[in-house]
Amino acid sequence: MVNDGQASTPSAFSFISKGWKEVKHSADADLQLMKERANSFKNLATSFDREIENFFNSASAFSVPAIRSPPAEIEFVKRLQPNLSEFRRNYSSPDFSKKVLEKWGPRSRIRIDLSAIKNAIVSEVEAEGDETIDFDRVRRGRKLTFREFWGEWKGEGEAEEGQTKDWEPIRALKTRLKEFEIRSSSAEIFGGFKNSEFVEKFKSGLKSIYKEPQESKEVPPLDVPELLASLVRQSGPFLDQLGVRKDLCDKIVENLCSKRKNQLLLRSLSSEESSILESENVNDELDLRIASVLQSTGHRYEGGFWGDHSKHDPSDRKRHVAIVTTASLPWMTGTAVNPLFRAAYLAESAKQNVTLLVPWLCKSDQELVYPNNVTFSSPEEQEIYIRNWLEERIGFRADFKISFYPGKFSKERRSIIPAGDTSQFIPSKYADIAILEEPEHLNWYHHGKRWTDKFNHVVGVVHTNYLEYIKREKNGALQAFLVKHINNWVTRAYCNKVLRLSAATQDLPKSVVCNVHGVNPTFLKIGEKIAAERELGQQAFSEGAYFLGKMVWAKGYRELIDLLAKHKNELSGFKLDVFGNGEDAHEVQSTAKKLELNLNFMKGRDHADDSLHRYKVFINPSVSDVLCTATAEALAMGKFVVCADHPSNEFFMSFTNCLTYKTSEDFVAKVKEALANEPLPLTPEERYNLSWEAATQRFVEYSDLSKVLNDITVGEKLSNANGKFMTKSLSMPNLTQMVDGGLAFAHYCLTGNEFLRLCTGAIPGTRDYDKQHCKDLHLLPPQVENPIYGW
């Protein structure tokens, strides 16, 4: 038999050897007891016979997919039983017992002569020494092999000469054992069992209760560099208010994280995960570490320290958008016109209800602000004026609500300042999404509920470059420094997202640069009309160059006069018509007259007026605008535009008819080029980019309004190397939000003090609205809870 067969049977013969050792031990311990029990060996043999029979019966009933007993085995057992009985009678006789007991002395060696059995069941064997089983040798640790006990099997016809043929039951048993040995050596038995359905279910059960060692590892706590990096990064709002630059904070965070990046920061991650995280930025790595640690502790972040969770629930699937602005028609300023168009085009989709909230001025202030001595005796009257003006230009009836809040006009700032808490004029049940046109202006002296606490999403749209205007005033540098930080303060505290029309404005927190303004559809129609006339061969432009804007120095008049004065000789014979009204009108005109400039000043008028259609060139040298509406309107009408190469004009530089200059000499060249040539008609793409449909689409995209309106969570998610996502907002407290809330609370406290308000330039009595506002808007005194006007 081969060695593999020996390896498959040691357990069986080890059992036999162990039994014989126990018998020898019992014989050595008590020989007398063995003598007395010799007579009972017959009964034991009978019991052994019964056990063997039961064993074969049970073996026939046992079923394993890889071991199946054929019917021939049952016949073998039946043939084996008579021979076993005969074997039992022979060895249970008194003579046999006597012979055995005589040899079982205290110091005798037990030897059982197996030669007779061997001759009976083995056809051929190689004689190797004594043909007995030495139990002393077995006791010393040597195990009998299958070859030693049974001998080598030979077929019935292969028995050597002089030897008897195999006993039929033994021969059948040897055949079965040999088959068992071969099947064991080829792993057929356990191969089938291994692939059985029972084993697969057992393995799946173990996997369900077994966790991978990596997953069960405890996430290491944050170390000191990580804590400092998180503190510095999330303290950015506060540090920015102290004048610490953002890039300096980023460098500090990067240095703190890089020291531990390959040690504690990634200690709990495998090499594969480490390689993945190394490709990410430092902020993502730090966020993942903090979120993992907090999630491992079972912590769930429920909101900031200053948060107010009683916000509007859009359960009716109809969202509400409130647009709050700082001016209203008939004041023809950008913050009056553009929010009006935005409200109309947002309401056109009918996916959300829209409310436009505009300031209401008492009659004394109306006379100072509104042109041509236009005044209104009631908000209803002004609302009718606004709607008629709008419908004449957009061509459809816009379904949105117009409401009013109390405001006062500041002569020094030339702007309207809200009086009281503007947010209270939007009922809480409609406080869903707020769009703050000029968020810094609306919140300079805001003393009321925090916008981000009352509304689910607050978007700020920056219209005006206040820093550029302030620098032109007395002590402008100091004032600009203070206003810059106040603007950062209020926009950070009251907005979730800030849109800057161009990069000409200061870099505000949470801001992106995108032009979200379109032009009045009337101007596009004028451009189409002029293009049609040119196709017919008619003269479209009969006039030269013009400039239009509010007549204040900051609106580009200073730059215009300086350029014309410097190059008066190069532009000899050049005539420029100027349209505008304003506080600096007299000074501007006298300066131009003193310098003997060829400027023709006329009263301000609507840019869509028929008298302006025939001008070919619009000149706008202003660098104080954020995004000049007049420039967009001139391009829409198909005119040439000559403007400065400045961030405020970046959106227009892609248009064919836009001619930009960098130097004063270049300005002269561009003016001459425009006067000598004809502008090209707008392409369909240029016409669409100027439209309010395109501007509304850009606004919805860049303000995250598309996600909010579609109930898509805006919260950040982090992904680890295993591809599993965790929501940062659910596991990690946001220190930035806590700082923002603290800034809002501090601002509320400061604006509540009348003395501090006056020191910073506020209009007296604007913390609350006055009696005239109560009368005009049908409001109760501020100390009493008011019914909201228009609701």
Side-chain angles (χ1 to χ4, degrees):
M1 192 175 297
V2 296
N3 292 336
D4 289 345
Q6 293 179 4
S8 63
T9 58
S11 59
F13 292 105
S14 176
F15 173 76
I16 297 174
S17 300
K18 181 179 179 180
W20 280 106
K21 286 197 299 183
E22 291 178 355
V23 172
K24 178 63 173 63
H25 178 71
S26 299
D28 292 340
D30 194 357
L31 180 62
Q32 184 63 31
L33 181 62
M34 291 299 296
K35 290 181 179 180
E36 293 176 357
R37 297 186 62 183
N39 294 328
S40 63
F41 188 75
K42 179 179 179 179
N43 296 332
L44 293 176
T46 303
S47 299
F48 175 75
D49 185 21
R50 188 179 301 109
E51 292 297 332
I52 290 296
E53 183 177 357
N54 292 338
F55 169 75
F56 284 109
N57 291 336
S58 62
S60 63
F62 180 71
S63 176
V64 177
I67 305 176
R68 298 185 182 274
S69 299
E73 293 186 6
I74 300 176
E75 297 298 330
F76 158 72
V77 173
K78 291 181 180 180
R79 294 194 302 268
L80 184 62
Q81 285 180 353
N83 295 283
L84 289 174
S85 299
E86 183 178 356
F87 177 80
R88 174 179 54 79
R89 286 194 300 271
N90 292 333
Y91 279 90
S92 62
S93 62
D95 294 337
F96 175 78
S97 301
K98 182 177 179 181
K99 291 179 180 179
V100 170
L101 293 175
E102 287 177 354
K103 291 186 177 184
W104 282 10
R107 299 186 177 276
S108 62
R109 294 182 63 188
I110 300 175
R111 290 178 177 269
I112 300 177
D113 190 353
L114 299 178
S115 59
I117 299 176
K118 181 177 180 180
N119 293 333
I121 64 176
V122 181
S123 61
E124 183 178 352
V125 66
E126 296 179 357
E128 296 180 3
D130 191 4
E131 298 177 347
T132 61
I133 298 177
D134 191 346
F135 285 97
D136 285 341
R137 183 179 61 184
V138 172
R139 184 178 59 188
R140 289 192 300 270
R142 184 176 182 273
K143 297 181 180 179
L144 298 177
T145 64
F146 191 82
R147 180 192 298 269
E148 290 176 327
F149 189 83
W150 291 103
E152 184 73 23
W153 165 253
K154 296 288 184 180
E156 183 178 354
E158 299 176 359
E160 292 184 357
E161 187 176 342
Q163 291 184 348
T164 61
K165 291 194 298 184
D166 289 337
W167 186 23
E168 181 64 22
I170 299 300
R171 186 171 64 83
L173 178 62
K174 288 176 64 178
T175 302
R176 292 301 177 191
L177 289 173
K178 186 174 182 66
E179 292 177 357
F180 178 79
E181 177 186 8
I182 296 173
R183 293 172 66 184
S184 298
S185 63
S186 60
E188 292 180 3
I189 296 177
F190 297 103
F193 182 72
K194 186 179 190 180
N195 299 324
S196 66
E197 182 180 359
F198 168 77
V199 174
E200 294 299 325
K201 290 182 178 180
F202 182 73
K203 287 167 66 178
S204 63
L206 289 178
K207 288 181 179 179
S208 64
I209 63 175
Y210 174 72
K211 293 183 178 179
E212 293 294 333
Q214 182 176 343
E215 295 181 0
S216 62
K217 287 182 179 179
E218 183 180 356
V219 179
L222 297 173
D223 59 9
V224 175
E226 290 171 336
L227 291 173
L228 290 176
S230 178
L231 180 63
V232 171
R233 187 186 61 174
Q234 297 204 55
S235 298
F238 179 72
L239 296 175
D240 184 54
Q241 296 301 129
L242 298 178
V244 180
R245 299 193 313 273
K246 184 177 183 299
D247 57 346
L248 180 59
C249 295
D250 293 340
K251 289 182 180 179
I252 295 175
V253 173
E254 185 176 358
N255 290 334
L256 288 172
C257 291
S258 62
K259 291 180 180 179
R260 308 295 290 172
K261 183 175 181 179
N262 297 323
Q263 299 177 10
L264 294 178
L265 183 61
L266 302 176
R267 183 173 60 186
S268 61
L269 304 176
S270 65
S271 59
E272 178 183 359
E273 293 169 326
S274 300
S275 62
I276 293 176
L277 277 182
E278 285 175 357
S279 62
E280 302 292 336
N281 57 50
V282 173
N283 288 328
D284 288 344
E285 295 178 14
L286 186 59
D287 285 341
L288 181 58
R289 272 285 293 141
I290 296 174
S292 300
V293 171
L294 293 177
Q295 193 176 62
S296 68
T297 63
H299 172 78
R300 182 182 177 88
Y301 181 60
E302 299 295 344
F305 180 76
W306 310 97
D308 184 359
H309 304 289
S310 57
K311 295 184 180 181
H312 168 75
D313 181 16
S315 56
D316 59 352
R317 295 187 176 274
K318 189 72 172 180
R319 309 305 296 265
H320 299 266
V321 178
I323 302 175
V324 186
T325 186
T326 57
S328 177
L329 295 178
W331 190 12
M332 297 300 296
T333 184
T335 53
V337 175
N338 291 308
L340 181 61
F341 282 112
R342 195 183 326 280
Y345 282 90
L346 280 176
E348 186 183 17
S349 65
K351 293 182 179 179
Q352 56 275 329
N353 294 324
V354 179
T355 299
L356 177 64
L357 192 61
V358 298
W360 167 257
L361 299 177
C362 299
K363 186 162 289 189
S364 59
D365 284 338
Q366 294 181 31
E367 294 172 352
L368 296 174
V369 177
Y370 299 150
N372 303 322
N373 297 320
V374 177
T375 58
F376 306 98
S377 58
S378 68
E380 292 81 4
E381 185 180 348
Q382 186 173 3
E383 179 178 351
I384 294 173
Y385 177 92
I386 294 172
R387 291 191 182 277
N388 291 338
W389 185 93
L390 178 65
E391 291 179 11
E392 289 177 2
R393 287 155 177 80
I394 62 176
F396 61 89
R397 183 173 180 81
D399 185 17
F400 65 93
K401 185 185 295 293
I402 296 179
S403 186
F404 293 84
Y405 68 87
K408 289 188 176 183
F409 181 69
S410 173
K411 294 180 181 180
E412 293 76 13
R413 296 182 181 273
R414 299 189 182 102
S415 57
I416 299 173
I417 304 298
D421 180 9
T422 309
S423 66
Q424 69 174 316
F425 292 90
I426 299 295
S428 296
K429 63 179 180 179
Y430 300 121
D432 183 12
I433 300 166
I435 301 172
L436 305 183
E437 309 280 351
E438 292 199 317
E440 69 278 51
H441 183 165
L442 284 169
N443 292 297
W444 279 334
Y445 305 106
H446 175 73
H447 182 70
K449 196 172 185 64
R450 186 185 179 192
W451 295 96
T452 52
D453 286 345
K454 184 170 184 177
F455 291 83
N456 293 309
H457 190 62
V458 181
V459 181
V461 182
V462 179
H463 291 247
T464 309
N465 191 353
Y466 287 107
L467 299 184
E468 187 65 29
Y469 293 154
I470 293 173
K471 288 177 182 178
R472 301 169 185 263
E473 299 178 359
K474 186 178 180 180
N475 299 322
L478 177 60
Q479 292 187 61
F481 174 80
L482 296 175
V483 171
K484 175 184 176 182
H485 288 281
I486 293 174
N487 290 346
N488 279 342
W489 186 348
V490 295
T491 52
R492 187 190 304 276
Y494 295 116
C495 296
N496 298 117
K497 192 82 173 183
V498 177
L499 301 180
R500 299 157 55 203
L501 298 180
S502 74
T505 61
Q506 68 180 93
D507 187 9
L508 294 168
K510 310 174 186 177
S511 66
V512 295
V513 175
C514 179
N515 175 23
V516 293
H517 285 176
V519 299
N520 186 333
T522 302
F523 296 100
L524 292 172
K525 293 178 181 178
I526 295 172
E528 294 173 359
K529 178 183 177 182
I530 292 175
E533 291 176 355
R534 294 178 60 185
E535 289 181 0
L536 297 175
Q538 301 176 6
Q539 185 179 2
F541 302 110
S542 58
E543 302 290 339
Y546 74 106
F547 176 64
L548 178 143
K550 186 178 180 181
M551 200 167 290
V552 293
W553 286 115
K555 281 294 185 180
Y557 285 91
R558 174 62 65 187
E559 292 84 355
L560 178 63
I561 290 178
D562 289 344
L563 286 170
L564 295 178
K566 183 177 181 179
H567 298 282
K568 184 167 36 174
N569 295 331
E570 292 89 336
L571 294 173
S572 60
F574 173 69
K575 176 185 174 183
L576 183 66
D577 293 337
V578 179
F579 299 86
N581 301 319
E583 294 81 0
D584 298 333
H586 176 72
E587 187 177 352
V588 170
Q589 294 176 19
S590 62
T591 302
K593 185 176 181 180
K594 182 178 179 180
L595 295 173
E596 298 180 354
L597 300 178
N598 195 5
L599 296 178
N600 183 23
F601 291 97
M602 289 178 276
K603 291 184 178 181
R605 62 191 67 178
D606 193 331
H607 204 174
D609 191 85
D610 294 340
S611 61
L612 300 177
H613 294 179
R614 300 304 170 182
Y615 284 93
K616 184 172 66 170
V617 183
F618 175 75
I619 295 179
N620 181 18
S622 174
V623 292
S624 61
D625 288 318
V626 173
L627 186 82
C628 184
T629 304
T631 300
E633 293 169 348
L635 288 172
M637 290 188 287
K639 305 178 187 296
F640 273 126
V641 171
V642 178
C643 59
D645 187 355
H646 188 262
S648 62
N649 297 317
E650 185 175 357
F651 176 77
F652 306 122
M653 292 179 185
S654 61
F655 289 81
T656 307
N657 295 332
C658 181
L659 306 177
T660 59
Y661 63 90
K662 295 183 178 179
T663 63
S664 61
E665 291 77 13
D666 196 16
F667 168 76
V668 175
K670 297 299 182 182
V671 170
K672 291 181 178 181
E673 178 184 349
L675 293 174
N677 296 284
E678 291 294 321
L680 296 175
L682 291 176
T683 65
E685 182 181 1
E686 290 176 337
R687 187 177 296 108
Y688 176 74
N689 288 337
L690 288 171
S691 68
W692 265 104
E693 288 83 359
T696 303
Q697 182 180 2
R698 293 192 297 266
F699 176 81
V700 171
E701 178 183 355
Y702 281 85
S703 65
D704 292 335
L705 209 61
S706 58
K707 299 177 181 179
V708 176
L709 292 176
N710 293 304
D711 292 329
I712 300 176
T713 303
V714 189
E716 298 179 62
K717 289 188 176 182
L718 302 171
S719 174
N720 59 18
N722 294 327
K724 299 180 180 179
F725 288 91
M726 63 179 71
T727 303
K728 181 170 66 174
S729 60
L730 295 181
S731 60
M732 183 165 54
N734 195 324
L735 184 58
T736 300
Q737 294 180 1
M738 297 176 64
V739 172
D740 293 347
L743 292 173
F745 180 75
H747 184 261
Y748 177 83
C749 295
L750 293 174
T751 55
N753 187 289
E754 186 65 19
F755 175 75
L756 293 177
R757 292 173 66 92
L758 296 176
C759 290
T760 55
I763 301 175
T766 54
R767 190 181 69 175
D768 298 305
Y769 39 83
D770 55 22
K771 294 181 179 179
Q772 186 61 43
H773 282 127
C774 294
K775 180 180 178 180
D776 294 342
L777 297 176
H778 311 291
L779 301 175
L780 295 176
Q783 293 78 13
V784 183
E785 184 176 355
N786 283 279
I788 307 303
Y789 174 80
W791 299 91

